[in-house]
Amino acid sequence: MKLFKAKAPMRIGFFGGGTDVSPYAEEHGGKVLNCTIDKYVRCMLKPIDQPGITIRSLDLSAVSRAVTGREWDGKLSLPQAVIDAHPEINGVEITMFSDVPPGSGLGSSSALVVSMLKLLDTAYHLKLDAYEMAELAYRIERVDLGIPGGRQDQYTAVFGGMAVQHFGGPQVIIERVATSEDALLELESCLIIGYVRDRKLLTHNLVQDQVRRVTEGETLRLHDETKAMVDEGAKLLRRGQIKEFGKLLHHAWEIKKAFSPHIAPPIVNEIYDLALRQGAWGGKLSGAGGGGFMCFCVPFSKRLQLEAALIEAGVTVRPFSFTKQGVHAWSVEEDD
């Protein structure tokens, strides 16, 4: 029996987050700088000799089934929506899990959708190109399911690597950051990521709040400022100026907090201030805000002391490495 497998990477966003969200992206042109990391959403497809579809999420301990039509008995809305976009698919079991908790701020939801799309593309020879896959992932999340957000997560999961993404034109442009391997390794050695909490404050509809504020003109200048940091950050990275890169992260975080009062709850501010006291140049909360993973840029000599302080404060520090590849799928033969 042939089994099909896929994995899509998550990402750390550095600069420009929020400018990929409508209507700012279309009206002013969005731009972000991010990089994929070795944290993945992984999926497997197994054909079965009977009608119906079963989806299993191992990390959520959840199962959803559709026996006839597309009436689901579970609540795994994201993978269900991917299947619903391909009504010809039937007679399969799909199993999945994520390397990090949901609501991490690392783009795990989009990585799940992209991973599943690549899985189906490989198993059923759908022949989607990279841009079609990213746009379909965007449509499933933002249109079909109505989940607010931008485009960077879908494109990052598809293309991978360290890149500047340009939004607002007829097609998203992926501009690879041409930097040395040494510079990437140095940045990686100076970065720490840690899980603070689940994002319960997303009940405040953070993205929708930010959209309202930019639409009403409250934060337009702030979006312009954070977008301008994308080119500066890429330039510092090309030059290998990691200390200055970290300080720019701090500046970007101060601006990001002004997007909405719900972005940085007290626990996030406490952890951030702790990191600065331990010598961090700067950092940020990944994703829209409220909680999840935080990222800190710290001198190599102070890395271990900061890790220890974060762990003592209840932060779950996770090792990671940058990756260059986006979503990938393969197949294996397995005995019945």
Side-chain angles (χ1 to χ4, degrees), residues 6-19:
K7 67 175 184 177
M10 296 175 222
R11 56 97 185 105
I12 296 175
F14 295 113
F15 304 105
T19 69

Side-chain angles (χ1 to χ4, degrees), residues 247-311:
K247 290 183 175 180
L248 190 64
L249 277 178
H250 175 69
H251 187 197
W253 172 239
E254 292 297 315
I255 292 176
K256 179 69 174 178
K257 288 191 296 182
F259 280 16
S260 168
H262 305 304
I263 284 177
I267 183 62
V268 169
N269 284 322
E270 290 170 13
I271 296 299
Y272 191 87
D273 290 343
L274 169 66
L276 293 184
R277 291 196 302 271
Q278 295 295 325
W281 293 312
K284 67 187 298 291
L285 184 66
S286 194
F293 272 86
M294 298 186 74
C295 170
F296 301 104
C297 193
V298 62
F300 183 81
S301 60
K302 297 182 179 180
R303 180 187 178 104
L304 290 184
Q305 104 181 19
L306 175 54
E307 285 186 359
L310 291 172
I311 292 170

